[in-house]
Amino acid sequence: MAKRNDSDRIVIHSVGDVSPRRIDYGEPPESLFAMVADRIKEADISVCQLECNLSTKGWLQYRSRPTTWYGRAHPDNVKSLVHGGFKLATHASNHCFDYGPESIVETIDVLRRNGIQVIGIGRNIQEARQPAILECKGTKFAFLDYNSV
């Protein structure tokens, strides 16, 4: 068996439930990951679970039970994710549909325009089920994300 060296090593960092809302509160978007951005960027692949839509579109959807938080933030908050160094966002969460399909489509567009792939949502069910393929050092990784909503 061939021994692997450090140059063959692939590092993946993954964080959960990111809700970038700094701009909504009058703060610079870079402040969200200011203390850890350098560490996240050390990874070959960095993934976050996006907890809110990045959109101004759509309308609040009916909820079967009351909640005090709904998932939407201004699209410019994507700057937090870019500064954090994320290459992929998972978004099949309990809040992905809070503001309906228009909000989801805008979120997809905002992420992709900023070089961040997204999984778990789509313009249709086929797109939502597509994997994100990221290649690193000659190895391909497929990521999937699902929700029952």
Side-chain angles (χ1 to χ4, degrees), residues 71-88:
R72 183 167 72 171
H74 192 277
D76 287 347
N77 283 292
V78 72
K79 294 173 186 174
S80 293
L81 303 180
V82 171
H83 176 73
F86 294 102
K87 304 292 183 229
L88 174 64

Side-chain angles (χ1 to χ4, degrees), residues 19 24-25 28 35 40 46 49 53 59 74 106-107 127-128 148:
S19 185
D24 299 353
Y25 300 126
M35 304 288 281
I40 294 169
S46 51
Q49 161 53 36
N53 287 325
W59 60 95
H74 192 277
E106 184 176 18
T107 300
E127 186 177 314
S148 62

Side-chain angles (χ1 to χ4, degrees), residues 109-144:
D109 292 342
V110 166
L111 290 167
R112 288 181 179 162
R113 271 195 316 269
N114 285 276
I116 300 172
Q117 292 191 48
V118 60
I119 54 174
I121 58 173
R123 288 171 173 78
N124 54 50
I125 193 67
Q126 291 81 17
E127 186 177 314
R129 290 180 177 168
Q130 289 297 308
I133 309 291
L134 284 83
E135 187 169 348
C136 182
K137 300 178 184 177
T139 301
K140 290 184 180 180
F141 295 86
F143 294 85
L144 295 166

Side-chain angles (χ1 to χ4, degrees), residues 20-42:
R21 306 169 85 75
R22 291 299 201 252
I23 291 173
D24 299 353
Y25 300 126
E27 299 174 25
E30 297 81 12
S31 66
L32 181 60
F33 295 106
M35 304 288 281
V36 295
D38 290 341
R39 183 74 171 157
I40 294 169
K41 291 175 184 176
E42 289 175 1

